[in-house]
Amino acid sequence: MTPSLTVLGIESSCDDTAAAVLRGPEVLSSVVYGQTALHAAFGGVVPELAARAHVEKLDIAVAAALSEAVLALDQIDVIAVTAGPGLIGGVLSGVMLAKGLSAASGVPLIGVNHLAGHALTPRFTDGLAFPYLMLLVSGGHCQFLRVEGPEAFHRLGGTIDDAPGEAFDKTAKLLGLPQPGGPAVELEARAGDPARFVFPRPLLDRAGCDMSFSGLKTALLRARDGLVSAGGGLTAQNRADLCAGFQAAICDVLVEKSRRALTQSEGVTGFAVAGGVAANEQVRSGLARLAAELDVPFVAPPLRYCTDNAAMIAWAGQEAFSAGACSGLDLSARPRWPLDNSQPALLGSGKKGAKA
Ligand code: KG4
Ligand code: ZN
């Protein structure tokens, strides 16, 4: 059943302050205020700065989303808010605002898992039916999920250290390229030879769908230092070749692990990808080719709904609320909130918060 409630979504778990209104799968408005410039000088998201910026912008984002949708708060059926996982100061800011709005207006409240938001996105963008396989691949997340229902997720594997976007960002930093690193590295890689530096493909020799990306940046650092000490600096061609080699390694790992995840996923209706790294042309086309080879429909939602946004939170709230879930004013903000409690927690936390 496709729900068709009018839902206000609120997202503030990392470095985007976002609000959106959805009616069924139709996006009536989606406002995102990014904080890239705020954190640019620090090489990563500074949690305290992020939280303060969310506090300043959240009510403005909600007002803008309602006004764009030409709706008042009392015309909203449910308020959906990201309640975790993420940077706790940001999550708390969103949850407190949502509670205030709910208490003042009497509109029901529902706390949403940010990862569920990403994982359910292909449902409102492409109408994908359950069950499907999802690869979530961004600056903060990297996992394979078999999505069986609005609140039924089975994790097949994920990164045990860095997320791929984080590896792109660190690589850019090591090579003196701007942040966010993904687009900059991709651009450099276009002029590079991916075969000149062959970087490791971690964990490909191990069964299963777990991945590791932290060793890649160490290999890249060694190659860079070798070039610098041999030649007194990095030429433009060296830099392009390093980027091309790095990107090829990431792609190979993602495609090969996706092959394993797909062969373990009988009966899925499709293979979907979400997250900022899905913007990478080589990653996207590698995954699309794999899906075609295995004869599985491939879904890559528009980028504005792949990266952090509140439309996905409104949709996930809508699905869960329609299935009978609801939160009270005791809803708490959770820095960690694994989607699949039957699996061991992923280790560590990245520069964008807990990996869940
Ligand atoms: O989903 P997202 O906007 O935020 C979260 O991490 O939650 O993803 C941002 C990440 C950054 O690490 C960025 O470098 C990476 O996605 N990214 C890319 C590309 N565009 C963005 N990575 C590789 N190639 C790209 N074209
Ligand atoms: Zn995210």
Side-chain angles (χ1 to χ4, degrees):
M1 182 194 66
T2 305
S4 64
L5 300 166
T6 304
V7 185
L8 170 67
I10 299 173
E11 156 64 35
S12 56
S13 65
C14 186
D15 57 350
D16 291 297
T17 310
V21 179
L22 256 71
R23 178 170 293 145
E26 190 191 349
V27 181
L28 302 183
S29 63
S30 178
V31 175
V32 181
Y33 299 135
Q35 302 177 354
T36 306
L38 184 65
H39 304 288
F42 304 98
V45 178
V46 183
E48 188 59 30
L49 292 181
R52 285 167 197 236
H54 286 307
V55 169
E56 282 170 16
K57 283 279 173 66
L58 268 165
D59 53 347
I60 301 173
V62 167
L66 286 171
S67 143
E68 243 178 74
V70 201
L71 288 173
L73 192 56
D74 61 7
Q75 292 172 287
I76 297 292
D77 296 317
V78 193
I79 299 170
V81 62
T82 301
L87 300 172
I88 192 65
V91 180
L92 258 175
S93 315
V95 166
M96 296 311 288
L97 175 75
K99 281 186 190 179
L101 291 174
S102 172
S105 63
V107 176
L109 175 71
I110 187 156
V112 168
N113 184 310
H114 176 86
L115 301 171
H118 278 302
L120 296 170
T121 295
R123 305 250 312 138
F124 77 89
T125 59
D126 293 80
L128 196 59
F130 299 124
Y132 55 89
L133 179 71
M134 167 59 106
L135 168 60
L136 198 52
V137 63
S138 72
H141 333 288
C142 183
Q143 50 187 297
F144 290 105
L145 293 166
R146 185 182 161 98
V147 185
E148 286 165 357
E151 297 191 281
F153 306 92
H154 176 63
R155 198 181 81 218
L156 301 176
T159 184
I160 58 168
D161 42 52
D162 290 354
E166 201 173 349
F168 269 101
D169 294 341
K170 286 177 179 168
T171 290
K173 208 170 167 197
L174 290 174
L175 298 177
L177 296 168
Q179 298 291 321
V185 170
E186 179 173 24
L187 195 64
E188 286 284 323
R190 290 211 185 117
D193 172 9
R196 178 165 165 215
F197 300 101
V198 179
F199 293 118
R201 271 65 172 158
L203 300 193
L204 275 196
D205 55 343
R206 242 190 265 173
C209 301
D210 280 345
M211 292 163 279
S212 161
F213 297 100
S214 70
L216 256 176
K217 66 170 186 295
T218 315
L220 183 118
L221 178 63
R222 273 204 217 102
R224 181 202 70 176
D225 288 350
L227 289 166
V228 170
S229 61
L234 270 190
T235 63
Q237 192 58 53
N238 283 338
R239 195 154 69 176
D241 291 344
L242 287 170
C243 286
F246 165 83
Q247 186 173 270
I250 295 255
C251 277
D252 280 359
V253 172
L254 288 175
V255 170
E256 197 43 46
K257 292 288 181 172
S258 298
R259 179 188 300 281
R260 290 186 199 172
L262 275 168
T263 47
Q264 285 179 30
S265 305
E266 258 171 51
V268 290
T269 60
F271 175 38
V273 63
V277 180
N280 187 285
E281 192 45 50
Q282 203 180 338
V283 169
R284 219 172 163 101
S285 59
L287 297 174
R289 260 198 312 277
L290 171 74
E293 180 194 323
L294 299 178
D295 203 17
V296 179
F298 179 65
V299 176
L303 206 62
R304 62 186 181 283
Y305 301 131
C306 274
T307 53
D308 285 353
N309 67 89
M312 68 180 191
I313 302 304
W315 174 260
Q318 194 173 172
E319 290 229 49
F321 190 79
S322 303
C326 194
S327 306
L329 289 180
D330 57 350
L331 173 67
S332 51
R334 300 174 62 174
R336 286 182 184 272
W337 185 359
L339 271 182
D340 179 358
N341 281 313
S342 69
Q343 300 294 312
L346 289 172
L347 296 174
S349 84
K351 73 180 175 69
K352 292 191 168 187
K355 288 192 169 55

